[in-house]
Amino acid sequence: MWDQPTSQRAIVIAGCLGMAYTQLTMSPATIEFARAHGADGLHIGILGALPTATLFMQFVAAVLVNHLQYRRTVWFTVSIIQRLAYVPVAFGPWLVKDVSGTTWVWALIAVTAVNHALLHFCTPLWMSWMGDYLPREGLSRFWGRRHLWMQWTAALSLLAAALLLLQGGWSITPAFAVLTGVGAAFGIADILLFQKVNEPPVQKLPQPTLRRVFSAPFHDQRFRSYISYACFWHFAAMVGAPFISLYLLEYVGMSLGSVLLMWAGSWVGGAFLSRSLGGVVEQFGHRPMLILCTAFKATNMIALLLVPPRPELALVVLTPVFMLDALLNAGIAIASNGFLLKNSPQENRTMFIAAGTALAGMVGGITAVGAGALLRGLSTWSVTWAGWTFAGFHVLFASSLILRLVSIGLAVRVHEPTASSTRHVASQLIGATPLRILYFPVGLYRNRRELENETDAGKAQAPRPEIEAA
């Protein structure tokens, strides 16, 4: 087995390979592949729902892990199958010509369900493994560094996909097959890197009755508050998020290559600051980062509501907005992962992680299907007001905008007594006055080097005043 520094480098490299797999197999190219074979708003809504609707598999894994001594063999086997799930459907339409487009759309939906069900089964196994193995001191900083390289990998992966489509002259069917094949190879390499990462034995819950395993996270005040926030946040986000690529392709009229370029550029926003975000979370706590990032997550919905259906203008306007959004997503991901790993007990850790993600994901999955059905029902509806034309997409984006603003209140209620106040963290990042809080995350970028130097050098932490009232 590798020593810990070598293992940590392997975990970072594996994260990059896994991110390349994700971006190449689940990018806007997948939406375009579905559209090319006749998919409509409902199909896209189902595809958007499946990543979260299948999160119940995390609970299955959480029950199973209390009957295992080691997670490695089960995780390896299921993960390899999961990484290959998309390959038959990706190559099928290219190789088999006499099958209807509708059949391939439903086949894509089926393998997407299998892919995400297996992925979510593996996630708590892997996260509990990492929670048992990685040192708690500096965990968020490590997570931030890992996220940094993963974001750069996502950007480069989508850039390569965009160049293939823009310069290669390929139609979507063979292009999707090539992207999926390369992605699957990266995904398997990701799994194989963990062969020599040490795995501590599972700390089983004494007398693990089904009721005790399931109920434990909900008896913990910290986890109850986080679960409430996560459930409502997924509800708010999934009203609009699954339909962004479809909107850009179908309503705005952007080419698939342009959409991929825009998403590639968006990942750069998160890549620049992921390491700093990890340092901020390590120093000040998870709760203030959740509040700050959630507060600005309505920005992309506002931009989508205002951008006109002009592809060139949309590319220029939305790229920086999506860069900001990727930064906010990185902050929420780092804070959420750190909160789950640091606040879950070693015994029954897998169930705590599942409760913190799966329930929220299932709420989001149901929301996406309902929103997709609504989008189909509004497919012929539009209204013009003051020179602006609004369609079904705008109804979803406006609804998501309002719900995202409401979710800030749930983030404020996350229980973390040791965290600094959000006002204190914002003032540390960008200045002392409340007005300058509006400049977040510009101030975070400006103060990145100071924060990195302070956290990396292990200086004394800033005082933590009482958190503001919920």
Side-chain angles (χ1 to χ4, degrees):
M1 293 296 173
W2 287 321
D3 58 19
Q4 191 162 91
T6 303
S7 292
Q8 289 190 4
R9 284 192 293 271
I11 292 168
V12 172
I13 295 170
C16 294
L17 292 170
M19 178 61 82
Y21 160 80
T22 300
Q23 296 307 310
L24 293 176
T25 58
M26 292 174 259
S27 72
T30 307
I31 303 299
E32 183 63 17
F33 176 84
R35 287 182 67 233
H37 289 86
D40 59 20
L42 179 60
H43 298 116
I44 302 303
I46 295 173
L47 284 171
L50 288 173
T52 50
T54 51
L55 277 162
F56 70 90
M57 289 297 292
Q58 293 198 13
F59 289 114
V60 177
V63 172
L64 173 66
V65 81
N66 276 296
H67 300 279
L68 298 174
Q69 184 175 4
Y70 292 96
R71 294 148 286 207
R72 186 192 304 271
T73 301
V74 173
W75 180 80
F76 259 77
T77 304
V78 177
S79 294
I80 293 293
I81 296 171
Q82 179 258 324
R83 292 298 203 246
L84 295 172
Y86 275 111
V87 173
V89 170
F91 282 86
W94 193 17
L95 301 175
V96 183
K97 307 296 184 182
D98 57 349
V99 176
S100 68
T102 303
T103 300
W104 289 120
V105 170
W106 285 107
L108 176 65
I109 290 172
V111 298
T112 300
V114 171
N115 171 75
H116 288 289
L118 297 180
L119 174 65
H120 294 316
F121 177 84
C122 292
T123 296
L125 297 177
W126 181 81
M127 286 193 70
S128 63
W129 176 2
M130 295 300 101
D132 291 344
Y133 176 68
L134 294 171
R136 295 174 68 86
E137 183 66 29
L139 180 62
S140 294
R141 280 197 294 272
F142 170 75
W143 226 248
R145 288 194 298 272
R146 181 174 181 269
H147 216 75
L148 162 71
W149 292 109
M150 288 173 63
Q151 300 256 346
W152 279 116
T153 302
L156 292 174
S157 299
L158 288 180
L159 177 61
L163 292 175
L164 173 68
L165 288 160
L166 290 171
Q167 303 297 327
W170 292 22
S171 67
I172 184 59
T173 299
F176 182 65
V178 170
L179 294 176
T180 301
V182 174
F186 282 133
I188 292 173
D190 159 26
I191 305 304
L192 295 178
L193 273 175
F194 285 91
Q195 285 181 308
K196 292 189 177 181
V197 176
N198 185 48
E199 182 197 359
V202 174
Q203 294 294 318
K204 299 178 184 179
L205 188 69
Q207 300 177 337
T209 63
L210 195 60
R211 179 177 180 180
R212 186 181 179 194
V213 170
F214 271 108
S215 64
F218 301 95
H219 291 310
D220 187 301
Q221 183 181 2
R222 292 167 300 178
F223 262 77
R224 281 203 310 274
S225 64
Y226 177 80
I227 291 169
S228 298
Y229 158 75
C231 286
F232 193 87
W233 168 245
H234 276 71
F235 169 59
M238 294 301 284
V239 170
F243 310 100
I244 294 175
S245 292
L246 180 63
Y247 171 73
L248 298 174
L249 293 166
E250 187 174 286
Y251 185 84
V252 178
M254 296 177 67
S255 68
L256 176 58
S258 296
V259 173
L260 286 170
L261 278 176
M262 186 167 61
W263 284 117
S266 74
W267 285 105
V268 175
F272 271 125
L273 293 174
S274 289
R275 184 178 180 185
S276 298
L277 292 171
V280 171
V281 172
E282 190 70 34
Q283 185 174 1
F284 298 112
H286 310 89
R287 177 178 173 274
M289 182 60 69
L290 290 175
I291 295 171
L292 286 170
C293 291
T294 304
F296 287 88
K297 274 292 291 179
T299 307
N300 63 342
M301 292 294 109
I302 296 172
L304 289 165
L305 286 169
L306 296 179
V307 70
R310 293 166 52 189
E312 297 81 6
L313 181 60
L315 181 63
V316 173
V317 171
L318 292 178
T319 298
V321 173
F322 283 12
M323 291 176 71
L324 168 63
D325 192 63
L327 163 65
L328 301 174
N329 287 337
I332 291 175
I334 292 168
S336 295
N337 287 338
F339 185 94
L340 290 172
L341 293 181
K342 286 191 174 182
N343 290 285
S344 57
Q346 193 170 14
E347 295 177 346
N348 206 27
R349 188 190 301 278
T350 311
M351 179 55 71
F352 273 74
I353 291 170
T357 56
L359 190 60
M362 288 187 283
V363 169
I366 295 170
T367 302
V369 173
L374 177 61
L375 183 61
R376 172 189 270 187
L378 294 173
S379 60
T380 59
W381 176 87
S382 66
V383 62
T384 301
W385 178 74
W388 292 81
T389 299
F390 300 98
F393 288 107
H394 299 96
V395 173
L396 297 184
F397 295 155
S399 301
S400 184
L401 166 62
I402 295 169
L403 292 169
R404 288 170 188 234
L405 294 175
V406 175
S407 67
I408 300 170
L410 276 296
V412 170
R413 293 177 181 271
V414 172
H415 184 69
E416 189 180 16
T418 59
S420 300
S421 73
T422 307
R423 183 178 302 174
H424 172 72
V425 174
S427 66
Q428 291 293 310
L429 294 175
I430 56 178
T433 64
L435 180 61
R436 294 185 68 185
I437 291 175
L438 298 176
Y439 291 115
F440 176 85
V442 176
L444 175 58
Y445 179 79
R446 189 188 64 212
N447 291 324
R448 177 178 62 175
R449 292 194 179 276
E450 292 105 348
L451 281 165
E452 286 179 354
N453 292 337
E454 183 175 339
T455 55
D456 288 346
K459 293 182 180 179
Q461 291 189 351
R464 300 188 175 201
E466 293 183 13
I467 59 174
E468 62 270 32

